[in-house]
Amino acid sequence: MSQKEIRLRIAPSPTGSLHLGTVRTAFYNYLFVKKNKGKFILRIEDTDQQRNKDEYTKEILEGFKWLKISFDEGPYFQSERFDLYKKFTNKLLSEGKAYHCFCTQEELDELRKIQRAAKVPEKYDNRHRNLTEEQKKSFIEQGRKSVIRFKLPDNVDIKWNDEIRGSVCVNTNDLGGDPVIMRADSVPLYNFAVVVDDGDMRISHVIRGDDHLHNTAKQIPLFEALGFSVPIFGHVPLIFTHDREKLSKRKHGDIANIDKYQREGFLPDALANYLVHMSWTRPDKPEAEIFKLDEIIDLFELGRISKSSAVYDLPKLYWFDNHYIKELSVEETYNLSKHFLEKDLNLSLYSKEQLFQMIGAIQSGLNKLDEISGLIKFFFDDKFDLNTGENKNTLSTENARRILEKILSSLEIINFSDPHDCKKTIDNIGKELGLKGKDLYWPIRVALSGSNKGPDLGLIISLLGKEKVKSRIEKAIAVLV
RNA sequence: GGCCCCAUCGUCUAGCGGCCUAGGACGUCGGGCUUUCAUCCCGAAAAUCACCGGUUCGAUUCCGGUUGGGGUCACCA
């Protein structure tokens, strides 16, 4: 046998924006492709005209771009390949491997009702599998439409060696009866379109979510019936919520969709690292959790992907993101968060250098980039509340008043151009008044920034400048009264 | 309910028969460094390796069962 080309695909459906689980399997696919010098293909599974939306397709494409996942082929759209599905349906039909089923929805519902009452598994009973010509004619004369079903072999164990789970076996009798592969309006159904495409595109490895395990058992006979070679499968564990159920677009849209992470300013490298590391550790040094995708390509093995589902944990994601944010230069951080800053703040108030100083002072505390505005907002306006409990407590002491008044009268001797000088002046004032530490700094902090925590005080004073320091301290003193 | 999958600290995991009185990371708590917060550094608590039987001189590691959790059972994908 000649060496088969390594070809993998990711096949999202535009019935929603890009799902976190899809992204994770995409990363695993990507890693495997790169390691084996294969081709990566993007296919959009848009056969469900009811639920598809163009904007989702756009979001999916943009999502992959943002994540720096690129494809060698595609995107292919299933909606543009209906002729192909039709052709293969006819092939199966002519070979007697598929048949017309004239059942109405009502008949199917009735069947299910009976099965449920009898407490037997609900499945199609293949009743139209061997219709006579007369019966068919009669149905057609009644004006009934027909779908096309695939003849699933009876009572056969479908076995495959899963790259992640090991050997898996499902009996065809537990697959729900002969599956519909094409509707009366010639729209192909998922399990059929997938097999036609995977076969036609010569996909060598199908790495997909665990929830497809039974679909795989359904699809293998289809590959064989169609005359395609069966790809190698690998089923990656699902992502769970803390409630231990699978992360779904509908129920957990707030965390399941990738655009959230894009919008809130997570770094793609952090997301990739977190998602991959969730179920995979490097073999050379498992304790090394921080890695970029490109660093682990050679180390990657599907077999090291954990079999059990992993619970999504935001704090851990934050830790990864914080790590990568700290690796950024101030300028990179500025560029990446510029749209947040421009939206929330009047940037013209400060020079770029001053902005860089602000960012440099708070960068190491960021879990995600959109937190940045909130942390430096006080530089831009004094709309913070001095009357809240903690602020009020800090300001309403006799010492606070002495400090603030002293600063007001010392405005002329402060060298605002240098943070260190600013700090030194404050310390000198402290010495004069016999105050230091919190007693000295907190009232000033609160008066200038509305909080007793934040960046270096000297930096705050320096960047704020004489006028703002003056007005804010006056305002604070007024509150004391 | 049928079928299938899974099972180590709260969470993610290392472990592939003796190195394990189970290691790392996040989180939590305590301490140090800082005027404060964050970062950083140090330390602690945290898993009778779900349970019960085997196999073995020896099981977290192998086998079987039980329990628990999950997935899936469409003319959705």
Side-chain angles (χ1 to χ4, degrees):
Chain A
M1 203 181 108
S2 65
Q3 193 66 36
K4 221 175 133 187
E5 197 188 354
I6 303 294
R7 293 169 63 82
L8 280 78
R9 48 62 162 190
I10 189 84
S13 149
T15 53
S17 42
L18 194 52
H19 187 266
L20 205 60
T22 308
V23 170
R24 193 162 81 117
T25 49
F27 284 135
Y28 289 137
N29 272 276
Y30 171 86
L31 254 10
F32 186 84
V33 167
K34 291 295 170 200
K35 179 175 180 182
N36 294 288
K37 312 258 185 296
K39 294 272 193 295
F40 198 19
I41 294 149
L42 175 62
R43 186 172 73 224
I44 304 294
E45 312 227 311
D46 55 349
T47 54
D48 186 342
Q49 293 117 323
Q50 252 70 51
R51 298 195 299 151
N52 288 337
K53 281 193 181 147
D54 286 346
E55 65 208 69
Y56 289 142
T57 302
K58 214 180 129 205
E59 270 186 49
I60 288 167
L61 263 27
E62 279 171 4
F64 282 127
K65 202 171 154 193
W66 177 66
L67 293 161
K68 293 180 280 190
I69 294 182
S70 57
F71 298 93
D72 303 294
E73 288 178 30
Y76 296 112
F77 293 87
Q78 290 190 322
S79 59
E80 294 169 1
R81 297 163 60 84
F82 278 24
D83 288 348
L84 190 72
Y85 310 127
K86 187 87 190 161
K87 187 185 117 193
F88 280 103
T89 306
N90 289 335
K91 181 173 186 276
L92 290 179
L93 241 21
S94 68
E95 290 171 2
K97 293 173 180 168
Y99 60 93
H100 289 275
C101 168
F102 295 86
C103 289
T104 61
Q105 200 56 57
E106 291 71 37
E107 286 173 335
L108 259 20
D109 290 344
E110 180 65 19
L111 174 65
R112 246 184 294 257
K113 224 169 92 183
I114 293 167
Q115 289 170 333
R116 200 170 315 154
K119 288 201 195 308
V120 297
E122 295 170 33
K123 56 188 275 195
Y124 176 61
D125 57 5
N126 303 344
R127 58 176 64 171
H128 285 188
R129 200 191 253 192
N130 297 306
L131 253 27
T132 63
E133 288 309 313
E134 286 71 39
Q135 286 172 309
K136 285 184 200 167
K137 226 176 106 187
S138 156
F139 280 134
I140 291 167
E141 277 163 8
Q142 286 173 36
R144 278 159 83 139
K145 298 260 191 264
S146 66
V147 301
I148 295 163
R149 287 185 189 267
F150 171 65
K151 277 188 195 168
L152 212 51
D154 293 321
N155 193 24
V156 171
D157 281 337
I158 304 297
K159 296 179 190 165
W160 73 93
N161 202 358
D162 196 284
E163 289 290 295
I164 297 166
R165 324 204 74 91
S167 78
V168 181
C169 176
V170 182
N171 191 282
T172 49
N173 284 357
D174 300 317
L175 259 23
D178 291 340
V180 175
I181 59 174
M182 189 167 278
R183 301 201 299 218
D185 57 4
S186 292
V187 174
L189 258 36
Y190 169 75
N191 277 117
F192 181 63
V194 165
V195 173
V196 169
D197 283 338
D198 284 343
D200 180 67
M201 295 175 187
R202 305 184 333 275
I203 300 301
S204 63
H205 295 70
V206 174
I207 311 302
R208 62 178 27 154
D210 214 354
D211 47 345
H212 285 287
L213 219 52
H214 274 64
N215 283 331
T216 297
K218 239 181 246 187
Q219 291 170 201
I220 287 175
L222 223 25
F223 274 105
E224 288 166 345
L226 255 8
F228 292 124
S229 69
V230 180
I232 292 166
F233 293 96
H235 291 88
V236 316
L238 300 176
I239 301 174
F240 279 7
T241 64
H242 276 284
D243 303 332
R244 304 217 149 268
E245 57 182 5
K246 103 171 170 179
L247 194 63
S248 81
K249 291 183 197 179
R250 287 183 47 198
K251 248 188 115 172
H252 318 102
D254 53 330
I255 51 172
N257 294 332
I258 212 68
D259 64 301
K260 166 210 164 77
Y261 304 92
Q262 231 174 127
R263 275 188 285 103
E264 295 182 5
F266 284 80
L267 298 180
D269 283 341
L271 204 57
N273 197 158
Y274 173 64
L275 254 17
V276 168
H277 179 264
M278 242 175 137
S279 296
W280 185 86
T281 51
R282 53 195 297 172
D284 57 339
K285 34 180 178 175
E287 69 282 0
E289 303 195 357
I290 298 288
F291 50 74
K292 296 234 174 91
L293 252 36
D294 289 345
E295 298 165 5
I296 55 159
I297 287 171
D298 291 337
L299 299 164
F300 184 72
E301 299 158 32
L302 286 172
R304 270 188 80 82
I305 294 176
S306 160
K307 290 185 179 75
S308 50
S309 309
V311 173
Y312 171 88
D313 190 47
L314 187 59
K316 184 106 188 198
L317 208 206
Y318 278 152
W319 178 74
F320 279 103
D321 204 43
N322 171 264
H323 172 86
Y324 284 100
I325 289 175
K326 281 182 298 197
E327 282 193 341
L328 256 30
S329 70
V330 171
E331 188 168 4
E332 286 170 322
T333 306
Y334 169 76
N335 287 332
L336 287 169
S337 41
K338 207 170 171 186
H339 58 292
F340 297 122
L341 297 168
E342 283 172 341
K343 181 167 66 71
D344 300 327
L345 309 168
N346 177 11
L347 295 185
S348 65
L349 255 36
Y350 291 95
S351 70
K352 207 164 194 177
E353 287 65 36
Q354 289 175 311
L355 281 171
F356 282 11
Q357 287 186 71
M358 295 173 196
I359 293 168
I362 50 91
Q363 184 172 353
S364 66
L366 294 170
N367 285 323
K368 50 193 176 108
L369 261 16
D370 75 346
E371 293 172 347
I372 201 166
S373 303
L375 292 173
I376 62 172
K377 189 172 185 296
F378 70 85
F379 281 114
F380 294 83
D381 66 58
D382 59 357
K383 292 193 192 110
F384 44 81
D385 189 358
L386 296 176
N387 280 309
T388 56
E390 209 177 344
N391 285 349
K392 206 180 167 95
N393 287 345
T394 304
L395 289 177
S396 56
T397 65
E398 190 46 39
N399 281 335
R401 172 185 294 278
R402 288 169 63 210
I403 295 164
L404 295 181
E405 282 174 349
K406 182 71 188 170
I407 292 176
L408 222 41
S409 64
S410 311
L411 245 29
E412 297 308 323
I413 59 163
I414 298 177
N415 173 18
F416 283 93
S417 64
D418 182 61
H420 292 289
D421 282 358
C422 293
K423 177 74 189 322
K424 232 175 257 170
T425 308
I426 295 299
D427 284 336
N428 287 336
I429 289 172
K431 265 179 209 155
E432 268 181 53
L433 300 176
L435 296 166
K436 60 177 185 177
K438 291 174 188 173
D439 296 332
L440 170 64
Y441 299 112
W442 282 21
I444 310 174
R445 279 189 171 284
V446 170
L448 296 180
S449 74
S451 170
N452 56 19
K453 53 197 166 206
D456 177 75
L457 187 54
L459 184 70
I460 294 178
I461 293 170
S462 165
L463 288 174
L464 243 23
K466 191 170 166 184
E467 290 314 310
K468 288 200 189 75
V469 168
K470 180 167 182 275
S471 68
R472 289 184 188 195
I473 287 183
E474 282 169 347
K475 195 175 163 188
I477 291 174
V479 168
L480 300 182
V481 183

